[in-house]
Amino acid sequence: SELLARSLFACGISTVLQTTLGSRLPLVQIPSFEYLLPAMVLSSHLSLGASMDRNGTAVASTCPAPRCTVVGSWAASLREVSGAVVVSGMLQLALGVSGMCGWAAQHCGPMVLAPSLSIIGLSAYKEAAFFCSTNWGVALLLMLLAVTFSQHLGSCRLPFCTWPQAWGVSTEPSIPTLRTFSVLFPFAGVCVVCAVLSHLRVPWESLDLATSQLSWANSTFHAPWLRIPYAGEWGWPLLTPRALAVGIAMAVGCSMNSVGCYVLCGRLLRAPRLPPPARICTEGLGSLLAGLLGTPGGTAASIANACATGLTQADSRHSVQVSALACMVLGMSPRLAGLLTRIPLAVHGGVLCVTYAVAVGAGISYFQYTDIDSGRNIFTPAHSLLLSWDVLSDSGTIPVGWVPLDLLFLSLLMVPVILTGFLSFLLENTVSG
């Protein structure tokens, strides 16, 4: 609960900075997979190293006194992961100030954007399918309602709101309510259905024993109602060679993901493009703050939020700033933030399926700007997607011999957008035609 509260607090501040000083797009900042995957690689290595002695045999960690600190403990691992997030934030600041992201964005044509956005959407299918498998009925109900509200009933207007225009000279009698709330209404309705089924003790959720006990293990009953996060409360981040290597992978992955998210949001909302350095600099500030607060993930633009904005066509920055305020309020109350863990996994799966499918569709739509009959334009996306998919399906470590470099390569290979974006960028700018 406290980790989640700190992440929400940092995301709220980063969202305010991004909507006022950065991209000024209606995007919420979240701890994205491009942060969480390298953090899991580093924490897994730390926990493995803590349980092995010098001969490579497994040993049990002992703690002779209460509140003692042992190498590889949970607190030390969290501090090193936070150090990687701090490194990522500083590197993103350097990328934004130097203008490298702007230079790279100018050389990203449709043959770079199409496979990159497509792999971002396709990379979530395993997690979405796993979440939906807990109850396919609930997930399909949410997807059906979201598609019906946003597509079939998108032009349906309910006359309960009147929006003044041009100093009251003319008024719009109603707004497309079902399309505007095409994600919120299905989400809330399905959550109510799940709560009713749970209250009636109907066995509707199929979870294994370990997953079913997570909600009880992470109970929020003992979390405090009010706790304002501050830097250094859990110790300052550790800047080690391993944290530096993983932080580089975090910065590269999140910068590529965020640039793609800005392009995606601008395309879905038909918004003009803005200079990218301010966006990456603002995200770097948010990640730096998150690392100092001790969270295991920085902040980055949310692909799911951009896709949901495309479905709802709600392009108001003020609504995003209200959500940022809500994140900061939840971040100051770990017990309230812990209530978010009660959302059923099937609901998460349905939302992922609906939103990330929009990213795939937006990526495919960029092929209209190319000569798709050209052999070069067939070769570039096909090989960048195929090679990335092969590596993702068998992402074993590259035995270099030096642990930080091993962690760097493994973190880079586990983030789908990095390999696809790099290969498509290389082929687009080196193959003639």
Side-chain angles (χ1 to χ4, degrees):
S1 299
E2 296 193 9
L3 282 175
L4 179 59
R6 287 173 177 270
S7 295
L8 289 173
F9 188 78
C11 290
I13 296 178
S14 181
T15 301
V16 172
L17 292 175
Q18 192 66 261
T19 53
T20 55
L21 303 176
S23 65
R24 299 177 64 85
L25 291 171
L27 288 174
V28 177
Q29 303 292 299
I30 64 165
S32 65
F33 289 112
E34 283 70 27
Y35 274 106
L36 296 181
L37 288 177
M40 291 169 61
V41 170
L42 179 57
S43 61
S44 299
H45 172 77
L46 295 175
S47 61
L48 179 62
S51 60
M52 306 293 287
D53 62 5
R54 294 182 178 179
N55 298 325
T57 58
V59 295
S61 300
T62 59
C63 186
R67 298 178 178 269
C68 67
T69 302
V70 295
V71 178
S73 65
W74 179 83
S77 300
L78 181 61
R79 290 176 60 193
E80 195 158 351
V81 172
S82 300
V85 175
V86 170
V87 171
S88 172
M90 293 188 294
L91 187 57
Q92 280 187 296
L93 281 172
L95 290 174
V97 172
S98 63
M100 291 184 62
C101 289
W103 173 84
Q106 292 176 357
H107 292 79
C108 289
M111 286 293 100
V112 180
L113 296 175
S116 299
L117 294 177
S118 298
I119 197 65
I120 288 175
L122 293 173
S123 62
Y125 86 97
K126 286 186 178 180
E127 288 75 15
F130 169 72
F131 292 157
C132 293
S133 64
T134 60
N135 192 304
W136 279 103
V138 171
L140 291 175
L141 176 61
L142 189 146
M143 288 186 277
L144 177 63
L145 291 176
V147 171
T148 302
F149 287 176
S150 63
Q151 305 301 320
H152 298 90
L153 301 177
S155 59
C156 181
R157 297 173 178 268
L158 301 181
F160 68 88
C161 286
T162 300
W163 297 93
Q165 295 180 350
W167 300 95
V169 175
S170 62
T171 59
E172 185 179 358
S174 61
I175 61 172
T177 312
L178 295 181
R179 187 192 67 187
T180 304
F181 298 100
S182 59
V183 177
L184 180 61
F185 282 171
F187 174 82
V190 172
C191 284
V192 170
V193 171
C194 295
V196 171
L197 293 177
S198 299
H199 180 72
L200 298 177
R201 301 189 181 277
V202 177
W204 61 274
E205 196 171 20
S206 59
L207 296 173
D208 57 9
L209 183 61
T211 309
S212 62
Q213 292 176 348
L214 284 178
S215 60
W216 296 104
N218 296 324
S219 177
T220 62
F221 294 144
H222 302 291
W225 281 107
L226 180 64
R227 174 173 290 177
I228 300 178
Y230 60 90
E233 182 180 4
W234 292 348
W236 295 102
L238 294 177
L239 300 178
T240 61
R242 294 174 299 194
L244 177 62
V246 175
I248 293 174
M250 288 179 174
V252 174
C254 286
S255 298
M256 297 177 66
N257 175 82
S258 297
V259 171
C261 188
Y262 300 143
V263 174
L264 175 63
C265 184
R267 177 166 180 77
L268 294 175
L269 296 179
R270 298 176 178 85
R273 292 189 180 184
L274 299 176
R279 313 172 186 174
I280 302 300
C281 286
T282 310
E283 284 201 6
L285 289 175
S287 299
L288 188 60
L289 172 64
L292 293 176
L293 289 176
T295 63
T299 60
S302 169
I303 291 289
N305 175 245
C307 296
T309 303
L311 289 174
T312 61
Q313 291 297 306
D315 56 352
S316 172
R317 288 189 299 115
H318 300 296
S319 62
V320 177
Q321 291 168 350
V322 170
S323 69
L325 179 62
C327 285
M328 287 188 284
V329 172
L330 289 174
M332 291 185 291
S333 178
R335 184 172 295 192
L336 290 178
L339 295 177
L340 297 178
T341 62
R342 301 290 181 173
I343 299 175
L345 293 180
V347 177
H348 286 293
V351 173
L352 286 176
C353 290
V354 171
T355 54
Y356 275 82
V358 177
V360 180
I364 295 174
S365 68
Y366 274 98
F367 287 115
Q368 66 178 310
Y369 302 113
T370 65
D371 180 12
I372 199 59
D373 293 328
S374 169
R376 170 190 180 273
N377 293 340
I378 295 176
F379 179 89
T380 298
H383 282 72
S384 59
L385 285 172
L386 181 62
L387 291 176
S388 303
W389 203 261
D390 289 340
V391 173
L392 286 173
S393 61
D394 187 18
S395 57
T397 182
I398 300 178
V400 178
W402 190 40
V403 173
L405 207 54
D406 290 340
L407 294 177
L408 173 62
F409 285 134
L410 182 58
S411 300
L412 289 174
L413 292 177
M414 287 191 67
V415 179
V417 69
I418 292 180
L419 196 57
T420 302
F422 174 76
L423 289 175
S424 58
F425 183 86
L426 182 65
L427 293 173
E428 169 73 6
N429 292 278
T430 56
V431 178
S432 61

